[in-house]
Amino acid sequence: MSLAGKRVAVTGAFGSLGAAVVQAALAAGAKVAAVDRADAPADAHGALAFGGVDLADTVQAKAAIDAATKALGGLDALVNIAGTFRFETLADGSADTWDLLYRVNLRTAVAASKAALAHLPDGGRIVNIGAAAALKAGAGMGAYTASKSGVMRFTEALAEELKPRGITVNALLPSIIDTPPNRRDMPKADFSKWVTPAQLANVIVFLLSDQASAITGALIPVTGRV
Ligand SMILES: NC(=O)c1ccc[n+]([C@@H]2O[C@H](COP(=O)([O-])OP(=O)(O)OC[C@H]3O[C@@H](n4cnc5c(N)ncnc54)[C@H](OP(=O)(O)O)[C@@H]3O)[C@@H](O)[C@H]2O)c1
């Protein structure tokens, strides 16, 4: 799958999944801007790095996406990966957690996408990250799944909005991802069942490619053997 000539911005790019997507897009021939709230790592794998950006802040999001677009010489695609997780029951939790997860999981994608719309050409691409867990919430998963359900509804709405321009908007719904923090938190789990960042990145590269031009508004479970 080739992304030769494509200019791609990836948010949450210094995290576990983000780093894999940056590497896969570069390997497919894209030019990549890596945007994250975290500080830029010493090795950004050949991507242009933009650290210290809170994408939930619309002013910061616009400034970062504008700067990334300028550095790339244009923008063909945005991959919204910035996000986080909390497990919290209502009895033991805080209403503030609902605001936090809304802000980090949904508002970041909304703000970055709005900023990108000024640059994306007809036929451009947006890919979001929902969650398989958001298809039906379990105990302690209310705030997280509500925020990810928001990402999923946002994906559908924006896909419809952008159909006239041929810009596709899709979301991956991962189950638990095989990341170092998840291995630390669940040391007795069977890691071989978990979907890997590289497997998710392969699907994202496909969605960014010319071959995926007919897929939009799709919520795609990518769940390994879970
Ligand atoms: N890990 C899983 O099992 C799993 C399962 C399903 C879905 N997902 C979703 O997949 C995505 C990636 O997960 P991951 O495990 O790779 O997460 P991760 O390693 O924690 O990476 C997420 C990155 O997003 C950044 N970020 C958070 N808030 C931000 C903001 N306001 N502005 C800009 N950047 C921000 C984080 O920076 P900081 O370090 O500064 O916070 C971090 O670098 C997330 O959307 C997550 O919800 C993950």
Side-chain angles (χ1 to χ4, degrees):
M1 206 62 59
S2 172
L3 298 182
K6 306 276 188 207
R7 297 148 305 180
V8 180
V10 179
T11 80
F14 306 150
S16 300
L17 176 58
V21 170
V22 167
Q23 288 178 60
L26 287 168
K31 280 170 76 177
V32 179
V35 186
D36 204 298
R37 182 173 60 188
D39 291 334
D43 176 14
H45 307 290
L48 300 159
F50 297 84
V53 181
D54 179 2
L55 288 163
D57 179 312
T58 52
V59 174
Q60 289 188 45
K62 181 175 183 321
I65 296 296
D66 286 353
T69 301
K70 192 169 177 201
L72 291 169
L75 188 69
D76 299 296
L78 171 69
V79 186
N80 287 309
I81 297 178
T84 195
F85 176 75
R86 294 287 187 283
F87 178 92
E88 199 172 276
T89 60
L90 186 61
D92 295 332
S94 161
D96 293 342
T97 302
W98 292 70
D99 289 339
L100 170 81
L101 291 179
Y102 175 90
R103 185 175 172 82
V104 174
N105 287 337
L106 176 57
R107 191 177 164 91
T108 55
V110 170
S113 299
K114 188 166 174 63
L117 279 191
H119 304 293
L120 289 173
D122 290 359
R125 299 280 190 273
I126 296 176
V127 178
N128 298 322
I129 306 297
L135 294 170
K136 182 177 189 314
M141 295 286 281
Y144 176 72
T145 56
S147 69
K148 286 299 190 180
S149 296
V151 172
M152 289 144 72
R153 299 290 84 76
F154 169 58
T155 301
E156 293 167 340
L158 191 59
E160 291 301 321
E161 180 178 333
L162 297 179
K163 269 183 186 171
R165 293 184 53 195
I167 297 174
T168 72
V169 188
N170 296 290
L172 267 58
L173 314 185
S175 50
I176 186 165
I177 304 173
D178 187 2
T179 66
N182 281 339
R183 285 192 180 211
R184 271 197 305 276
D185 290 347
M186 289 161 270
K188 292 190 175 148
D190 180 354
F191 307 143
S192 72
K193 291 188 174 172
W194 293 352
V195 64
T196 66
Q199 288 173 318
L200 289 157
N202 284 338
V203 180
I204 291 172
V205 166
F206 169 64
L207 290 172
L208 299 181
S209 73
D210 291 341
Q211 283 74 12
S213 61
I215 305 174
T216 194
L219 307 176
I220 305 170
V222 185
T223 57
R225 295 192 297 117
V226 168

